[in-house]
Amino acid sequence: MIDDHPQRYALVNELHARPFPSLTVPCQAVYLAVKEPIEAANRDRDRDLGHLRALLARHGAAHPAPGATHHSAEIGRHVLKWESHTEFVTYSAFEPGLGDRPFDPRDAEVFPPDWLRAAPGKRIAAVLVRVEPLPEDMEQAVAKLEDWFVPESLAASWVLDEAAIIAGDFQIDPAGLMRFAVFVRPGTGARRVGRIVQRLCEIETYRAMSMLGLGRARELTGRLNALDPQLSSVVAALPDDHRAAEATLHELLELSAELESLATRHSFRFGATGAYEAIVNQRIDVLRETRFMGRQTFGEFMRRRYDPAMRTVKSAEHRLEQMAERAERAGELLSTRVDVERSAQNQKLLESMDRRADLALRLQHTVEGLSVVAISYYAVSLATYALLPLADALHWPKSALTAALVPVILGAVWLLIRRIRRGMH
């Protein structure tokens, strides 16, 4: 036997942690996604679990385990499914049967208003899905769709090899809910119905989450519009020799710092937007849509209404990257110019130092010559006094003695100073 990796079973269980619901027709689903407005990825997840426990306690349902990321329980006539995601939590309540009034706001009261007000976050998505049997007469289905939804934005299509018709207008009704309808062909399995409903809820949730980047992109675009002329002005001033390079470099560094700050603040949201957009498109693709009665499909609706928003986000992100690269290249060019100017200044400084050293050397030689004379003068005087008795004994006059000592002492002093200078060098 070989020991298992400590996370082997946990990783396998993660594959089965979020099964699709099994729904019988007719039924309805109420779906809610809650997100913290700020720093949602770093939120206190214990508050999410506490809020879930408060709902379960009202119905005497079993509580989730500490640190759980998903949980299912029965609350009254509903089956509740709770999931915790990176930035948000979702609540799905499935109820068999349908009320007499289609899309009645009271159907969403499975989530009590006082409990909703205490939620640790804000509502980012709220969906009401009505699941009915597919009528034999398609005109009945068309009449219901025209009565329930806004015709101008209605999207409807066959899905999963014409197992069902899905429809929605992506409009928020007065109760704050987004409506979707599903007409299921007889004989369609309960798990397939559950997959359709789950994917509709996920499409709306990830659409909403991805479009959070649109507001950031518009805010960023406004700031980039202000920074772009400044950056262009700095780049245009690079060849100007009359403008101080250090001042230009300082201005460029300020622009680069702000661009890096903008990139840091928006990188997570833009990255998340790209990931959520991919999930939306993947969820639509797996539905395998075909056209229903000439209506636009969900994929076509997204291409017309949703994709332009995503392109705006990508355009803002790309523009920020381009401006940061421009500032970086300009900084490199300006740094090179500053280095060249400093090298020229250093060269001039070295030349000046060489001239000063040469002058100092000449002065030193002059001083050394004067020093030889001065030292010789005092040495001759001392030697004259020292040898004067001997000169008197030999009947030499003092002037003769002094004249004889001058060349000897002058040569000796010169040799001594030269020797000292050689020893120092």
Side-chain angles (χ1 to χ4, degrees):
M1 296 295 292
I2 185 172
D3 293 335
D4 287 320
H5 189 279
Q7 297 186 19
R8 181 189 176 200
Y9 286 97
L11 296 175
V12 172
N13 291 336
E14 186 66 24
L15 299 176
H16 311 283
R18 294 177 173 87
F20 289 106
S22 180
L23 303 179
T24 57
V25 183
C27 65
Q28 62 184 2
V30 183
Y31 178 87
L32 177 68
V34 178
K35 176 189 178 298
E36 288 278 6
I38 301 174
E39 295 291 336
N42 300 320
R43 69 187 184 278
D44 183 2
R45 299 176 187 270
D46 290 337
R47 293 183 61 199
D48 297 335
L49 285 170
H51 192 235
L52 172 63
R53 294 189 189 100
L55 178 62
L56 296 174
R58 297 187 181 212
H59 301 273
H63 287 191
T69 58
H70 54 88
H71 183 70
S72 297
E74 292 187 5
I75 52 173
R77 298 182 65 248
H78 294 80
V79 175
L80 178 69
K81 180 182 178 183
W82 174 85
E83 294 181 0
S84 176
H85 300 264
T86 302
E87 292 191 87
F88 58 93
V89 295
T90 60
Y91 298 84
S92 305
F94 307 102
E95 179 186 14
L98 295 172
D100 296 332
R101 180 186 174 188
F103 299 105
D104 190 343
R106 289 177 297 180
D107 294 334
E109 292 180 356
V110 62
F111 302 125
D114 60 327
W115 177 83
L116 289 173
R117 285 192 294 269
K122 304 297 181 182
R123 180 173 59 183
I124 190 67
V127 178
L128 186 59
V129 184
R130 183 179 177 89
V131 183
E132 293 186 0
L134 180 67
E136 295 182 0
D137 185 1
M138 289 295 116
E139 294 299 329
Q140 295 182 12
V142 172
K144 289 182 178 181
L145 295 182
E146 292 177 349
D147 182 47
W148 294 343
F149 301 107
V150 177
E152 191 273 332
S153 59
L154 173 63
S157 61
W158 289 103
V159 294
L160 302 181
D161 303 323
E162 298 191 357
I165 297 172
I166 60 172
D169 57 6
F170 293 92
Q171 302 275 354
I172 298 176
D173 68 10
L177 300 169
M178 186 167 289
R179 302 173 177 181
F180 290 104
V182 181
F183 296 100
V184 181
R185 188 183 295 278
T188 303
R191 292 196 176 277
R192 172 168 279 195
V193 176
R195 286 196 294 273
I196 294 173
V197 172
Q198 182 70 26
R199 284 164 181 162
L200 285 175
C201 296
E202 290 175 348
I203 288 171
E204 166 55 18
T205 302
Y206 290 112
R207 179 208 60 79
M209 290 297 301
S210 62
M211 293 190 71
L212 290 175
L214 181 61
R216 291 285 193 92
R218 288 172 175 169
E219 175 188 349
L220 176 63
T221 299
R223 186 58 191 147
L224 293 181
N225 289 339
L227 292 177
D228 200 0
Q230 299 180 35
L231 180 59
S232 299
S233 176
V234 172
V235 173
L238 290 179
D240 188 359
D241 295 334
H242 300 288
R243 186 173 182 180
E246 274 113 6
T248 306
L249 182 60
H250 180 70
E251 185 178 355
L252 184 59
L253 287 175
E254 290 183 350
L255 289 173
S256 298
E258 184 167 359
L259 290 171
E260 286 299 324
S261 177
L262 290 173
T264 301
R265 290 207 308 267
H266 293 85
S267 60
F268 175 82
R269 177 50 52 204
F270 288 161
T273 294
Y276 294 141
E277 179 196 6
I279 294 175
V280 170
N281 293 328
Q282 189 269 342
R283 295 296 188 270
I284 293 176
D285 289 341
V286 297
L287 288 173
R288 303 197 301 276
E289 291 185 287
T290 54
R291 194 173 301 281
F292 168 72
M293 303 287 287
R295 304 280 181 174
Q296 65 177 343
T297 64
F298 275 52
E300 291 173 339
F301 178 89
M302 290 299 177
R303 284 192 291 273
R304 291 180 57 238
R305 309 290 183 90
Y306 172 72
D307 286 356
M310 295 299 98
R311 286 195 293 270
T312 300
V313 175
K314 293 175 183 177
S315 174
E317 182 181 13
H318 183 59
R319 185 181 179 190
L320 176 58
E321 293 175 354
Q322 283 187 324
M323 288 186 64
E325 291 175 358
R326 284 170 55 197
E328 183 179 0
R329 290 194 300 268
E332 292 175 354
L333 292 174
L334 195 55
S335 297
T336 302
R337 176 184 167 187
V338 170
D339 291 340
V340 170
E341 291 182 355
R342 287 180 178 174
S343 297
Q345 292 174 357
N346 292 337
Q347 184 65 30
K348 292 180 180 179
L349 180 61
L350 290 175
E351 291 176 357
S352 175
M353 292 176 63
D354 287 342
R355 288 194 299 269
R356 291 181 182 180
D358 185 58
L359 291 174
L361 182 61
R362 293 180 182 179
L363 180 61
Q364 179 183 354
H365 289 166
T366 303
V367 171
E368 287 178 358
L370 295 175
S371 299
V372 170
V373 174
I375 294 173
S376 299
Y377 174 78
Y378 288 106
V380 167
S381 298
L382 291 175
T384 299
Y385 285 118
L387 297 176
L388 190 57
L390 179 62
D392 290 340
L394 296 175
H395 304 288
W396 285 2
K398 182 179 179 181
S399 59
L401 177 62
T402 302
L405 289 174
V406 167
V408 176
I409 292 178
L410 188 62
V413 171
W414 181 79
L415 290 174
L416 178 62
I417 290 178
R418 184 178 181 184
R419 183 176 181 182
I420 292 173
R421 187 172 63 185
R422 285 183 177 179
M424 293 180 64
H425 287 292

